[in-house]
Amino acid sequence: MSGEDKAGQSHGAEPFLETRRAPAGPRFRQRAVVAGRAAGALAPGELRIAADYLSMDAGTRMWMSPRTDGYQPPLPLGAKMMGLVLGRVVESRDPRFDPGTLVRGFGQWAQFSTVSPDAAGLVEVDEGVADLRQHFGALGMNAWTAYVGVREVLGLAAGQWLVVSAAAGATGSLACQIGRNLGLRVIGIAGGPDKCGYLLETLGVDLAIDYKHEDVAARLAQVEGGVHGYFDNVGGPLLDAVLPNMAHYGRVAVCGLVAAYDADAPLPGPARFDQILMRRLRVEGFFIPDFLHRGAEFLPQLQAWFEAGRLTADIDETVGLENVLVAYDRMLTGKSRGKWW
């Protein structure tokens, strides 16, 4: 990759991923290209980050949609694609961040990201972690999301049943482990025997359900008294399978809607919506921006679990900015498990 990495020096044409057309369903590989553009001078308060890693997260698929009713406006065509970045500050006009500092925050899918630290949720991260990529995983925002969803939104008591969809994915796998660490009985839903084996043997869930080959509703119906909490990453038919099998006064934490991300129009509501009333359920959606400012609260507990070997994130790494959409496709289509980079 070209460009100078020295603080205070200008860069040449910097490669980045540019959106050209709104994706149609899952077909997004031809809708963005690697382009180049000379970096401008930093404005006061801005800094520039040289990316070591880019995080592939399912929620960013909504930013490519033309829909305007999401939690943030869609990215305009021709813009740099955005996402989480882990890297080092190479230029800074913010006195809080010196050149050379290892940071994580929202930047661009690019060799270099120019950001305003507060808007980017930028934080300095610990260089002493053996695998720095865990700042996107067990010590990162996916873990914050899983922690808030399980501990605060669901608020279950030890011994109660927690169901997690997309349980072998980046956030789902962490939600399973956090639930286990909090003394919950955990049921993971994933696609295929390999992922279900991973849930049982590596993550230590109590039950694993293969939604591709099993009747999810029938398996959940075997839980006496119903399940108490559902950490939903998917929506769609899986939500319909879970709702009739919830315990009375159960809770649903809506973290993601992977089943809907490829659609440019709203999906129909749950077919079993009536069960929210019949079972007196509480349903709550939540997003990282709601608690971005609270990261320092969550980190000590996550760090303790991580250091004790009780919380980790599997890594699926793809090398090269030109291969970002290959990695993105693997993440959205479930071709791998854990966290994607």
Side-chain angles (χ1 to χ4, degrees):
M1 293 192 292
S2 63
E4 292 290 331
D5 283 353
K6 296 179 181 178
Q9 295 193 12
S10 63
H11 302 274
E14 299 175 356
F16 62 90
L17 207 74
E18 179 183 85
T19 57
R20 290 289 174 88
R21 289 180 290 169
R27 298 183 297 278
F28 49 78
R29 287 206 197 182
Q30 286 73 44
R31 305 304 170 112
V33 297
V34 176
R37 185 184 302 162
L42 295 178
E46 289 186 333
L47 54 81
R48 188 163 287 129
I49 305 163
D52 292 323
Y53 299 100
L54 305 176
S55 177
M56 303 291 101
D57 296 290
T60 58
R61 175 62 180 83
M62 292 184 288
W63 304 351
M64 300 181 188
S65 168
R67 291 181 60 178
T68 58
D69 57 352
Y71 72 99
Q72 71 172 43
L75 289 172
L77 297 182
K80 294 180 180 180
M81 185 58 194
M82 294 182 63
L84 282 172
V85 175
L86 178 67
R88 294 189 182 276
V89 176
V90 293
E91 299 178 57
S92 178
R93 296 193 65 186
D94 185 317
R96 297 172 295 176
F97 297 93
D98 294 327
T101 304
L102 184 66
V103 294
R104 179 194 62 224
F106 286 97
Q108 297 91 43
W109 286 1
Q111 179 183 7
F112 296 94
S113 287
T114 300
V115 304
S116 297
D118 293 336
L122 202 71
V123 293
E124 181 177 354
V125 296
D126 182 7
E127 296 199 42
V129 175
D131 185 352
L132 293 177
R133 296 171 300 184
Q134 291 294 338
H135 287 302
F136 275 160
L139 303 176
M141 292 187 188
N142 289 101
W144 298 2
T145 302
Y147 186 81
V148 168
V150 174
R151 184 155 197 151
E152 297 186 6
V153 179
L154 295 177
L156 304 180
Q160 291 187 315
W161 285 101
L162 165 69
V163 178
V164 181
S165 58
T171 302
S173 62
L174 292 162
C176 286
Q177 295 173 78
I178 289 170
R180 179 203 64 201
N181 291 344
L182 293 174
L184 306 179
R185 291 183 287 180
V186 181
I187 302 172
I189 303 174
D194 290 344
K195 289 184 178 179
C196 286
Y198 166 72
L199 295 177
L200 291 165
E201 297 161 16
T202 302
L203 300 190
V205 303
D206 296 274
L207 296 172
I209 302 175
D210 180 355
Y211 74 85
K212 292 184 176 180
H213 302 102
E214 296 184 88
D215 184 328
V216 175
R219 286 290 308 277
L220 291 175
Q222 297 171 9
V223 177
E224 186 176 354
V227 299
H228 304 93
Y230 178 38
F231 192 106
D232 189 8
N233 291 302
V234 177
L238 283 183
L239 178 59
D240 285 328
V242 175
L243 288 177
N245 293 293
M246 297 283 296
H248 281 68
Y249 307 102
R251 300 174 182 180
V252 178
V254 183
C255 176
L257 295 169
V258 173
Y261 289 162
D262 286 339
D264 290 338
L267 292 185
R272 303 310 305 272
F273 186 83
D274 62 329
Q275 294 301 298
I276 296 173
L277 172 60
M278 303 308 171
R279 296 174 183 273
R280 294 74 148 177
L281 305 179
R282 189 184 78 186
V283 181
E284 181 177 343
F286 66 107
F287 276 117
I288 281 179
D290 299 340
F291 47 85
L292 199 59
H293 60 289
R294 296 179 55 201
E297 281 182 51
F298 315 136
L299 195 55
Q301 178 63 83
L302 298 173
Q303 183 97 36
W305 283 332
F306 174 70
E307 291 174 354
R310 301 178 64 202
L311 187 69
T312 190
D314 255 22
I315 295 169
D316 187 282
E317 183 175 330
T318 302
V319 178
L321 184 65
E322 68 278 8
N323 293 316
V324 160
L325 292 182
V326 175
Y328 201 58
D329 175 75
R330 286 175 59 79
M331 180 268 298
L332 284 176
T333 57
K335 293 185 175 71
S336 188
R337 67 178 188 235
K339 182 69 183 174
W340 295 267
W341 320 86

